[in-house]
Each structure stands twice: as structure tokens, then as C-alpha cells.
Amino acid sequence: MPPVQRSIAATCGCAIAACAALLHAEPTAYDVDGSATHVEYVARAFGVIAQRGRFADVRGSIALDRKAERGIVDFEIDARSIDSGWDLRDAFLRGTSMLDAQRHPAIRFHSARLVFASGALSRIDVRGHGGMSLADFWTSQGPYTYLGIAVAGFPNLFIVQAPGSPSAATNFVAALEQHVEWIGDCIAHLRANGYRTIEALPDAQTEWMDHTTSLVAPTVLNHPTCNSWYNGGNVPGKKRMYMGYTAGIPEYRRRCEEIAAGGYVGFKLA
């Protein structure tokens, strides 16, 4: 398989794994709705140019076992359905120098090792200051984070797509990419300036969560009768709190860049 196809398959796998955390059902299979599904890609060059596009022809299935918190994924993408927004470029991408779609029309992704995000995270014993457990903290206080990336009291812990981030409230893969890039830049900043620890400040965390919850305060997602996984209402006894950031990726990206440009405002660096 050409490198571009391997990259696309890996990206598709990230999106599917993320979706597993959102589906709660008895062991069953789901067929992909080809009329409402597409796979997006980002091709980068020289660390500056980012060309985005999509594959329109996608088919497959996801089999989920809720009890075992496992699943099986089978996806197939028609390489000939690539759409970069420019016919001339599409012809080049389908050609032998790139996808070689004539000889390799199908990009396939199969995995029998799908693990629910909720199950995987609950089995990691993350501990912060004083031996505090992240699981216990989130159970008692609610899923508090700063930017959906860090948690006060847990230094040097970066979480991708945590509560308080756009995650499932937007394009998951695009939000995932932004998180990974921001965290990578942050780590590079720490190393370049001789810092060994970074930790979210409690006041900044509280302010951020107040902001995210205020965005949905007037909506049905905040209503007592709304028992959704979005607010934890689907789990009896779980602290109710809307867990997504709904102002969109552009605004979220702007705020994250502003915080980084200010020397990582809301974080303690040491």
C-alpha cells in the first residue's frame, strides 16, 4: 500500500475509535450510511502548506460489544472518489505517483482491537498531587479540565479530546489534529526554555468550565429532562455537566493560540 493510503487508513482508524466512545448498545453491528459519510484528509508539505480534501465513497461496518468494551471495524474507501476541490489536482492524486487508484482502487481498514475510550481510560490509574486519582476527582467534582487538555492537580498530564474541548461537538478528526499540534508545540516550548513541569491552575480551570457550560445553558442539553451522554445524564448517579465546547473549532483554536502566545496563560510552568 502506498504511503498516502497508509496515512489515510490511520486517520480513518482514529475517527472510528473516537466514535466507539459515543455508541452505547448491546452487541450489534452498524452499517455505515454512505450517503451521509465521508473521510477527510490533510496533506502537509514543508511544515507550512496544508491541503485538505475528502473521499466521498465510503462503506463498511462497525460491530460493538458494549459489555466487553470491544469492537470490530471494517471500512473500505474508494480511492477514485478523492475530492480536493480541483479536478486537475484530483487527477494527479489518483495517478501512479500518488494513490495509483487505477491499480489500487480500494483503501481498506480492518481492526479487531477496537477498545471503547471510556473503558480504556477507566483502567488507567492516573494520579496527581497527594496521590489523587483522576477517576475519583472526576467522579466527585465532575469532568473538570482546562481547555479540555489539562487538569489542575495533575502536572505534566496532557489529554487529547477531554471534556471541555470541542471533541464530539464538532469534526472530531479536525479537533484531534489541533490538540496534537498544540500539545506538541507546548512540549517544544517547555524544552526550549528549560521547564520541567506544566500544570493547569485551578482558577483558570474553573473559569474555563464556567465558560463552556454557559454556552449551552439556554439549550435543551442543560434541561433536567435531557438524559444524554453529552451531559452524563445517561449514567445514574453520574454528576451532570455538559462536556463539550460548542463555540466551534475556529474560536477554540483562537483561544488556544492566544493562551500559548501569552506564555501559556492559566498554566504554572516550572
Side-chain angles (χ1 to χ4, degrees):
M1 181 184 292
V4 172
Q5 291 189 356
R6 289 199 297 270
S7 176
I8 294 165
T11 301
C12 183
C14 291
I16 295 165
C19 291
L22 314 183
L23 298 173
H24 300 281
E26 296 304 316
T28 188
Y30 298 86
D31 290 328
V32 173
D33 183 354
S35 65
T37 305
H38 65 268
V39 172
E40 296 182 348
Y41 72 87
V42 180
R44 298 190 178 278
F46 309 112
V48 177
I49 303 171
Q51 190 275 310
R52 299 175 184 270
R54 59 190 284 179
F55 291 86
D57 190 346
V58 183
R59 63 187 71 89
S61 64
I62 304 174
L64 300 178
D65 186 334
R66 180 184 178 187
K67 184 176 181 180
E69 295 189 335
R70 291 290 187 274
I72 298 175
V73 175
D74 278 295
F75 260 55
E76 183 174 306
I77 303 168
D78 189 336
R80 296 165 297 187
S81 70
I82 191 169
D83 179 7
S84 67
W86 184 18
D87 291 343
L88 185 61
R89 180 165 52 205
D90 292 345
F92 171 73
L93 293 174
R94 295 188 191 102
T96 56
S97 298
M98 299 298 286
L99 294 174
D100 198 2
Q102 189 64 34
R103 291 198 304 158
H104 306 284
I107 301 172
R108 294 187 175 91
F109 179 85
H110 171 83
S111 176
R113 301 180 62 185
L114 188 100
V115 180
F116 285 23
S118 58
L121 288 175
S122 66
R123 289 191 290 272
I124 301 176
D125 186 20
V126 178
R127 295 190 176 268
H129 290 310
M132 177 183 291
S133 163
L134 180 61
D136 291 344
F137 173 72
W138 276 356
T139 299
S140 61
Q141 304 298 320
Y144 271 62
T145 71
Y146 181 42
L147 303 178
I149 292 177
V151 181
F154 295 84
N156 293 348
L157 173 66
F158 291 108
I159 310 175
V160 177
Q161 302 288 56
S165 71
S167 57
T170 185
N171 183 307
F172 208 105
V173 177
L176 177 75
E177 181 183 53
Q178 185 272 335
H179 260 195
V180 172
E181 291 176 347
W182 192 92
I183 292 170
D185 290 343
C186 179
I187 293 174
H189 174 82
L190 297 176
R191 288 177 172 172
N193 292 276
Y195 294 114
R196 298 182 62 85
T197 64
I198 181 170
E199 179 181 350
L201 297 174
D203 289 347
Q205 178 171 274
T206 300
E207 182 180 344
W208 179 255
M209 296 310 296
D210 287 346
H211 168 60
T212 60
T213 54
S214 70
L215 294 173
V216 295
T219 72
V220 67
L221 290 168
N222 196 47
H223 197 275
T225 61
C226 180
N227 295 318
S228 167
W229 66 266
Y230 271 108
N231 57 25
N234 64 323
V235 179
K238 186 175 182 178
K239 188 175 181 64
R240 293 175 66 99
M241 178 187 296
Y242 185 79
M243 294 181 281
Y245 181 78
T246 58
I249 291 181
E251 173 61 15
Y252 178 80
R253 182 186 293 271
R254 185 194 68 79
R255 293 180 70 105
C256 287
E257 290 176 350
E258 184 178 70
I259 287 169
Y264 293 91
V265 179
F267 290 93
K268 177 183 178 181
L269 282 60

